[in-house]
């Protein structure tokens, strides 16, 4: 089973700043199967990025995904108030989906 | 626009069986998209349970496989989850979602239900 480790656990930033969230895999992950979600309090996860770098429908351009192999990054340019939330990465291999433990982006 | 809605009991007893239904509206089952169950608990975070391609394949999380059954009722546009031998560790928010085929062997859970809270307690 591939384990995803997200860092940092919490990121304290101000609106307008840039956020860089890391997702590190215990083994190489195919780019096609690396996904990022956003979750706001009391809501279901929302798909942001699929295939490591493709924005889902309706996702603002300030969200971007990059990386390959074992290291992936979600970048949020110019944080908006609604971006303060928890972010999860997810991967698929060997017929099993696994999630990272999440990074909380909080207002500084 | 596809929407999903989970339904089921909020409270179940230890050693009992949990039965949840996910109702699909605004769309229907096709030959390309998979349908999945995920749960979220404070202790274990997000955990994928199982997914299926109607009338074809089903994949289970090995850690839950012995206790999980998934089925589909195409006539009602519903699919269901059964989880047996419940313990307090199964207390979680349970979500159903669509695992969408974006082409080029690229997949992602693009539509989620709002989730249903399940508590295992006597």
């Amino acid at each position: 089973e591939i384990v995803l480790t997200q860092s940092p656990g919490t990121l304290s930033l101000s609106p307008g700043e840039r956020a860089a969230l890391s997702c590190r895999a215990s083994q190489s992950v195919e780019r096609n199967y690396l996904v990022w979600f956003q979750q706001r309090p009391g809501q279901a996860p929302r798909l942001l990025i699929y295939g490591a770098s493709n924005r889902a429908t309706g996702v603002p351009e300030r969200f971007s995904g990059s990386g390959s192999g074992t290291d992936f990054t979600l970048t949020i340019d110019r944080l908006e108030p609604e971006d303060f939330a928890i972010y999860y990465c997810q991967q698929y291999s060997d017929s099993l989906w696994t999630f990272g433990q999440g990074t909380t982006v909080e207002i500084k | 626009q596809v929407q999903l809605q989970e339904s089921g009991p909020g409270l179940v007893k230890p050693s009992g069986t949990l039965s949840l239904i996910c109702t699909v509206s605004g769309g229907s089952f096709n030959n390309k998209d998979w349908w999945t169950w995920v749960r979220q608990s404070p202790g274990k975070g997000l955990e994928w349970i199982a997914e299926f391609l109607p009338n074809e394949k089903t994949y289970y999380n090995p850690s839950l496989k012995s206790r999980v059954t998934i089925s589909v009722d195409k006539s009602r546009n519903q699919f269901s989850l059964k989880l047996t031998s419940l313990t307090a560790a199964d207390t979680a928010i349970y979500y159903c979602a669509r695992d969408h085929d974006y082409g080029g062997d690229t997949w992602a859970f693009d539509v989620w239900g709002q989730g249903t809270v399940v508590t295992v307690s006597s």
Side-chain angles (χ1 to χ4, degrees), chain A residues 57-80:
Chain A
T57 301
V59 174
E61 289 185 3
R62 64 181 181 273
F63 290 91
S64 63
S66 62
S68 63
T70 59
D71 289 303
F72 297 88
T73 300
L74 175 69
T75 302
I76 313 171
D77 287 325
R78 300 179 304 281
L79 283 161
E80 297 285 342

Side-chain angles (χ1 to χ4, degrees), chain B residues 8-73:
Chain B
L11 179 65
V12 286
K13 294 189 186 307
S15 77
T17 296
L18 171 66
S19 294
L20 296 176
I21 290 174
C22 181
T23 301
V24 181
S25 59
S28 59
F29 300 111
N30 56 40
N31 294 331
K32 294 183 64 178
D33 293 328
W34 294 63
W35 303 86
T36 191
W37 288 96
V38 175
R39 68 182 183 180
Q40 185 172 31
S41 62
K44 297 195 75 174
L46 285 163
E47 182 179 31
W48 173 74
I49 300 171
E51 67 177 6
F52 72 98
L53 183 64
N55 298 330
E56 295 204 24
K57 305 173 191 175
T58 303
Y59 291 132
Y60 299 94
N61 188 323
S63 68
L64 296 167
K65 184 176 182 178
S66 64
R67 300 194 291 132
V68 171
T69 303
I70 284 190
S71 59
V72 59
D73 185 338

Side-chain angles (χ1 to χ4, degrees), chain A residues 1 30 32-33 35 37 39 42-47 49-51 54 56-57 88 90 92 95-100, chain B residues 34 36 38 40 45-48 51 59-62 95 99 102-115:
Chain A
E1 174 180 329
E30 289 202 36
N32 284 4
Y33 298 140
V35 180
F37 295 96
Q39 189 174 34
Q43 296 186 14
R46 170 198 177 199
L47 176 64
I49 301 287
Y50 63 91
N54 302 288
T57 301
Y88 296 94
Q90 180 200 33
Y92 177 82
S95 306
L96 176 64
W97 287 98
T98 59
F99 293 87
Chain B
W34 294 63
T36 191
V38 175
Q40 185 172 31
L46 285 163
E47 182 179 31
W48 173 74
E51 67 177 6
Y59 291 132
Y60 299 94
N61 188 323
Y95 296 100
D99 185 3
Y102 283 94
D105 196 27
T106 303
W107 303 81
F109 300 176
D110 69 327
V111 179
W112 293 66
Q114 65 185 29

